Amino acid sequence: MKIRLLNKLLFFYCCTLSISCNHSYQKVGFQEGDLLFQNLNCGELCNAIEAVTEGIDGKDFSHIALVVNVNDTLKVIEAIGNNVQINSLETFFSRSGDTAKIENVTVGRLKKQYKNLIPKAIAEAKKIIGQPYDNIFLLNNGKMYCSEMIYEIFKESNKTKDFFVLEPMTFKDPKTKVFFPAWVNYYKHLNKEIPEGLLGINPGLISRSNKISILKIENYK
């Protein structure tokens, strides 16, 4: 009896502080505007990204995409590969080893009070299809990386005011405080300086936003 009472008090406390209750799981189907958080298996670079970017509930994310309706079919718009592009849900989930059942992707949805931003954000996303992928991870350089695309389209939808927050980027191992060798080699190959400390955004940071709810969706078919 005491344990049940304690659990209820903890639940109320969390809700009051808007911590865990912001991310309660719900069994629902996909909607246009949903955000898909993914753990890509791209080797050392993805591992380095995940080591310095904490996702909701301690999950690792290295990619994010936006669900859109195209001719009555749900697809995703994402910055991946060479550019911003539209792909099928099957293509997206296959990267995580998911078939019809979703096990390795986390789904986020804007809370009710922010849903009015979705149509404009989707329109903005469609405008930049084909824009080059930003492999340097810098803001405002005419290119887009995955979470930058989400940040920019919702900023435009929010009357050019930040909707998701930016934070200083780091490319250093949190344990040793030195740059990950993967990033050193990566930027050396690009002949660019590592943008340590510059403002940026990542999928993990977006997943922890108090403006979205995390959903339980079991399949996409």
Side-chain angles (χ1 to χ4, degrees):
M1 192 68 179
K2 290 183 178 179
I3 294 176
R4 287 183 180 179
L5 179 59
L6 178 60
N7 287 338
K8 287 181 179 180
L9 289 173
L10 287 173
F11 181 80
F12 176 76
Y13 179 70
C14 288
C15 286
T16 302
L17 295 180
S18 298
I19 301 176
S20 64
C21 295
N22 284 335
H23 302 286
S24 59
Y25 289 83
Q26 308 166 39
K27 289 189 176 181
V28 294
F30 280 118
Q31 290 182 9
E32 192 173 38
D34 285 348
L35 302 174
L36 306 183
F37 300 93
Q38 188 171 49
N39 179 355
L40 291 175
N41 294 316
C42 66
E44 291 183 354
L45 280 180
C46 281
N47 293 338
I49 292 171
E50 292 162 2
V52 297
T53 59
E54 182 183 359
I56 186 68
D57 297 333
K59 293 182 178 180
D60 292 327
F61 302 123
S62 48
H63 185 56
I64 184 173
L66 175 73
V67 175
V68 296
N69 189 320
V70 179
N71 298 325
D72 296 324
T73 300
L74 291 179
K75 297 178 180 288
V76 297
I77 294 182
E78 54 185 340
I80 194 169
N82 295 323
N83 53 26
V84 177
Q85 54 191 270
I86 294 181
N87 287 310
S88 67
L89 288 174
E90 288 83 357
T91 296
F92 180 89
F93 283 106
S94 67
R95 297 189 204 120
S96 303
D98 291 317
T99 53
K101 185 174 177 60
I102 301 172
E103 296 178 337
N104 303 313
V105 169
T106 297
V107 183
R109 179 171 297 168
L110 264 64
K111 292 183 177 179
K112 186 176 180 180
Q113 60 266 41
Y114 306 117
K115 287 191 175 182
N116 63 303
L117 301 179
I118 291 174
K120 172 70 172 170
I122 290 173
E124 292 297 324
K126 290 180 177 178
K127 287 180 184 178
I128 59 174
I129 291 172
Q131 191 164 322
Y133 183 81
D134 185 4
N135 58 356
I136 306 175
F137 306 109
L138 294 177
L139 301 177
N140 305 315
N141 63 351
K143 302 179 180 181
M144 290 284 175
Y145 59 91
C146 66
S147 47
E148 179 187 9
M149 184 197 82
I150 300 299
Y151 165 78
E152 291 291 353
I153 63 175
F154 279 101
K155 179 180 178 180
E156 286 300 313
S157 182
N158 196 37
K159 299 180 180 179
T160 69
K161 298 177 182 178
D162 282 358
F163 183 72
F164 295 114
V165 299
L166 300 173
E167 285 188 354
M169 295 186 293
T170 184
F171 299 80
K172 294 181 178 180
D173 187 326
K175 296 178 181 178
T176 64
K177 308 302 180 184
V178 299
F179 289 117
F180 283 99
W183 285 122
V184 173
N185 295 331
Y186 180 82
Y187 280 98
K188 183 178 181 180
H189 178 74
L190 294 175
N191 196 28
K192 299 289 184 180
E193 291 186 7
I194 298 175
E196 178 72 15
L198 297 184
L199 289 178
I201 196 163
N202 58 73
L205 182 58
I206 294 175
S207 76
R208 303 196 320 269
S209 171
N210 62 6
K211 295 173 181 174
I212 68 173
S213 297
I214 300 299
L215 312 178
K216 177 64 176 176
I217 298 179
E218 295 182 339
N219 61 72
Y220 58 85
K221 290 186 178 180

